[in-house]
Amino acid sequence: MYFTLFITVLLTAVVLVVGAYVIAKLIGPRSYNPVKGEPFECGIPTRGSSWMPAHIGYYLFGILFLMFDIETMFLYPWAVVAGKFGHLALLSMGFFLLVLIFGLAYAWRKGALEWK
């Protein structure tokens, strides 16, 4: 049963992606200008290579943001069902928040939240 569902979802995804690509090719504009292929940033032509390495701080800050944003997103479903589980739910969420606070303190202490 799950295999059939998986195949159905997979085939639907492939058909939608290929269909969107074919429709875009059929009705899209066909004119090509070399300027369209050049990389732009904020409407200003780039200088030098576009493949410059980014500072690792950007990646680290982005990962930390996603980690804390997604983990705190789990607070809402927990709050909806917390009344059914009583004190155990409160204790488990307290532990969850404690882990989040320790993670934030660790990142802060290591200087991951400072721009240099």
Side-chain angles (χ1 to χ4, degrees):
M1 177 179 157
Y2 289 114
F3 182 72
T4 307
L5 181 65
F6 174 74
I7 295 298
T8 304
V9 169
L10 188 66
L11 286 176
T12 303
V14 168
V15 167
L16 288 175
V17 169
V18 170
Y21 183 74
V22 168
I23 290 172
K25 282 293 184 184
L26 289 176
I27 66 174
R30 289 182 173 60
S31 65
Y32 178 75
N33 186 351
V35 177
K36 290 182 182 178
E38 293 181 9
F40 284 92
E41 182 175 340
C42 300
I44 301 171
T46 57
R47 296 183 189 148
S49 174
S50 298
W51 291 98
M52 295 175 51
H55 189 268
I56 191 67
Y58 294 118
Y59 297 113
L60 186 58
F61 194 78
I63 289 172
L64 284 172
F65 173 76
L66 285 176
M67 181 179 72
F68 289 109
D69 189 44
I70 290 173
E71 286 181 354
T72 54
M73 182 183 68
F74 287 118
L75 291 175
Y76 179 74
W78 168 81
V80 170
V81 297
K84 296 179 185 176
F85 297 110
H87 296 301
L88 181 61
L90 187 62
L91 185 65
S92 64
M93 189 47 63
F95 179 72
F96 180 73
L97 290 174
L98 189 67
V99 169
L100 276 180
I101 290 169
F102 280 147
L104 180 61
Y106 177 77
W108 196 341
R109 184 171 180 162
K110 287 292 185 178
L113 303 176
E114 296 176 10
W115 291 103
K116 296 177 184 175

